[in-house]
Amino acid sequence: MQRRPEDSAIHLLFEGAPATTEFRKLRKRIVRQTREAIDQYAMVDRAADAPRARWLVCLSGGKDSYTLLAVLHELQWRGLLPVDLLACNLDQGQPGFPATVLPDFLRKTGVPHRIEYQDTYSVVVDKVPQGRTYCALCSRLRRGNLYRIAREEGCCAVVLGHHRDDILETFFMNLFHGGRLATMPPKLLNEAGDLFVFRPLAHVAEADCDRFARAMGYPIIPCDLCGSQDGLQRQQVKALIDQWEANRPGRRQIMFHALMNIRPSHMLDPGLFDFAGLMRRAEPGEAEQTGGTEQIDENAAEIPVLR
C-alpha cells in the first residue's frame, strides 16, 4: 500500500535524500532563502483572523519547479508555511512530451495535484512566424490557463519557480532590449486584481536548484519547445552574465543585490522622484534627508566592465 506523507517522519518528496554534509547545507540554504523571500515580500497573511490560503504551485518538470515544490512542502511540513498547496502541471501538447512522468511522480509522493491538458503548442506554431521565438506567446497562453485553473481550484496565488538568475537575466533583457528598468517581481497582483503571482525562489541561485534536483534524482523534463531554439535573447544575456561571473566570482549576487537597493533620486525617472520639487526646497537639510544630493560611496565594490 502507498505510504502517505503524514505517516512518515519525512515527506515523501525527500525520500532518498543524500546524507552528505554538502547536501544538508544545500538543502538548508535553499529552505532559508525561500523562507526569507516569503517573509520579506509578505506572501502569507499572518493575521490571526486571516483565512487559510491555497496556492497553485506550477510544476513544469524542470529542476526549478521540482525544487520549489519540495521546499514549499518542507516549510509546510515544519509548520512554517500555513497554506494549502496544490501542484499543477499544464501539458501544452508539445510533441514527445512524457505525459505520464509528472502524474506518476506526484501520485508516488502523495502530493495533491491537478494535471491539465491544453494544446497551446498548435496555437503557438500556427501564430508565430517562422524564425521567430515562441516564448512570448507560449508564456501568455500558459499564464492565462494557470489563472483559470487557480480560480477554479479556489487558489489565491499562482506560484512559479523563477529563481535569482531568472530575475537578473530578465532585468538585463529589459535593459538591453526593452529600454526600461524592470524585472520579474517576487510578488505581483494580476491585472484583474484577483490573483497573486509569487516567486518564492527569488533569492535562490539557479546552480543550487540544479544541484538539489539532480541530487534528489527527480525526473527532470527538458523544455523542447522554447529552450531548443537557438539565438534566444535570454541565452545571450545568460552567456554574458556567465562571463562576468567567471571573470569576477560573486558578480551575480552583487548585481542582484542592486535590484533591492534602488535610489530613485539617483535615477532619471521624474515619475519616481520629484526633481522639480528640489527647486522649491526651503529647509537647508531637506535635500540631504531625501537623497537629492549626490552621494558617492568610494568604498563600493568595483563595477564590472561591459565588454
Side-chain angles (χ1 to χ4, degrees), residues 112-129:
H113 63 277
R114 172 172 170 174
I115 305 296
E116 180 83 4
Y117 177 81
Q118 290 290 330
D119 184 9
T120 63
Y121 175 84
S122 296
V123 177
V124 171
V125 172
D126 179 63
K127 298 295 184 183
V128 177

Side-chain angles (χ1 to χ4, degrees), residues 73-127:
H73 274 86
E74 172 151 351
L75 288 171
Q76 184 193 58
W77 193 265
R78 294 184 184 183
L80 300 174
L81 184 63
V83 303
D84 295 324
L85 303 173
L86 177 67
C88 177
N89 172 248
L90 178 63
D91 182 345
Q92 297 180 260
Q94 293 99 322
F97 181 79
T100 62
V101 169
L102 289 173
D104 290 348
F105 172 81
L106 293 167
R107 283 193 294 268
K108 178 182 177 182
T109 53
V111 173
H113 63 277
R114 172 172 170 174
I115 305 296
E116 180 83 4
Y117 177 81
Q118 290 290 330
D119 184 9
T120 63
Y121 175 84
S122 296
V123 177
V124 171
V125 172
D126 179 63
K127 298 295 184 183

Side-chain angles (χ1 to χ4, degrees), residues 31-41 203:
V31 170
R32 172 178 53 80
Q33 291 172 336
T34 302
R35 186 183 180 190
E36 287 174 352
I38 290 172
D39 291 342
Q40 182 174 6
Y41 299 103
H203 295 171

Side-chain angles (χ1 to χ4, degrees), residues 13-294:
L13 281 167
F14 287 93
E15 279 203 335
T20 64
T21 300
E22 181 182 5
F23 180 81
R24 286 197 296 269
K25 288 181 178 179
L26 171 65
R27 175 177 173 175
K28 182 177 180 180
R29 179 168 63 251
I30 294 175
V31 170
R32 172 178 53 80
Q33 291 172 336
T34 302
R35 186 183 180 190
E36 287 174 352
I38 290 172
D39 291 342
Q40 182 174 6
Y41 299 103
M43 297 181 190
V44 176
D45 186 351
R46 300 191 183 276
D49 58 347
R52 187 174 177 89
R54 194 179 198 210
W55 289 3
L56 188 76
V57 183
C58 302
L59 185 65
S60 67
K63 64 185 187 307
D64 310 324
S65 62
Y66 277 121
T67 301
L68 173 70
L69 184 71
V71 172
L72 291 182
H73 274 86
E74 172 151 351
L75 288 171
Q76 184 193 58
W77 193 265
R78 294 184 184 183
L80 300 174
L81 184 63
V83 303
D84 295 324
L85 303 173
L86 177 67
C88 177
N89 172 248
L90 178 63
D91 182 345
Q92 297 180 260
Q94 293 99 322
F97 181 79
T100 62
V101 169
L102 289 173
D104 290 348
F105 172 81
L106 293 167
R107 283 193 294 268
K108 178 182 177 182
T109 53
V111 173
H113 63 277
R114 172 172 170 174
I115 305 296
E116 180 83 4
Y117 177 81
Q118 290 290 330
D119 184 9
T120 63
Y121 175 84
S122 296
V123 177
V124 171
V125 172
D126 179 63
K127 298 295 184 183
V128 177
Q130 187 175 6
R132 301 288 296 276
T133 60
Y134 297 148
C135 297
L137 179 57
C138 177
S139 177
R140 287 198 299 271
L141 294 174
R142 180 171 61 250
R143 186 67 58 86
N145 278 290
L146 292 173
Y147 284 169
R148 172 183 56 80
I149 296 167
R151 295 184 182 107
E152 292 173 358
E153 295 290 347
C155 297
C156 66
V158 172
V159 187
L160 305 175
H162 295 128
H163 44 65
R164 179 200 68 179
D165 298 72
D166 287 327
I167 292 173
L168 188 60
E169 289 160 14
T170 300
F171 170 79
F172 281 108
M173 287 178 66
N174 280 316
L175 176 66
F176 295 154
H177 305 290
R180 60 184 178 272
L181 296 182
T183 187
M184 300 183 294
K187 180 180 181 180
L188 176 71
L189 184 64
N190 71 339
E191 292 183 1
D194 65 334
L195 290 170
F196 286 105
V197 176
F198 293 155
R199 297 180 172 93
L201 299 183
H203 295 171
V204 179
E206 179 179 16
D208 281 353
C209 292
D210 185 61
R211 283 193 288 266
F212 178 84
R214 294 188 185 281
M216 288 302 307
Y218 293 144
I220 297 173
I221 302 172
C223 177
D224 294 324
L225 177 61
C226 300
S228 62
Q229 292 178 284
D230 295 330
L232 291 177
Q233 293 174 349
R234 183 173 292 275
Q235 292 177 349
Q236 296 169 0
V237 168
K238 180 187 286 289
L240 187 62
I241 298 175
D242 285 345
Q243 181 183 355
W244 291 340
E245 181 72 18
N247 292 339
R248 292 295 181 89
R251 294 298 96 180
R252 270 194 178 88
Q253 188 58 29
I254 291 174
M255 291 187 291
F256 182 79
H257 180 72
L259 298 179
M260 299 186 291
N261 188 25
I262 298 170
R263 300 182 182 182
S265 64
H266 287 58
M267 301 299 287
L268 282 73
D269 190 343
L272 293 180
F273 185 77
D274 184 15
F275 292 100
L278 289 177
M279 303 298 294
R280 300 189 294 271
R281 299 289 192 223
E283 298 297 330
E286 192 166 353
E288 181 179 350
Q289 296 171 8
T290 60
T293 57
E294 183 176 9

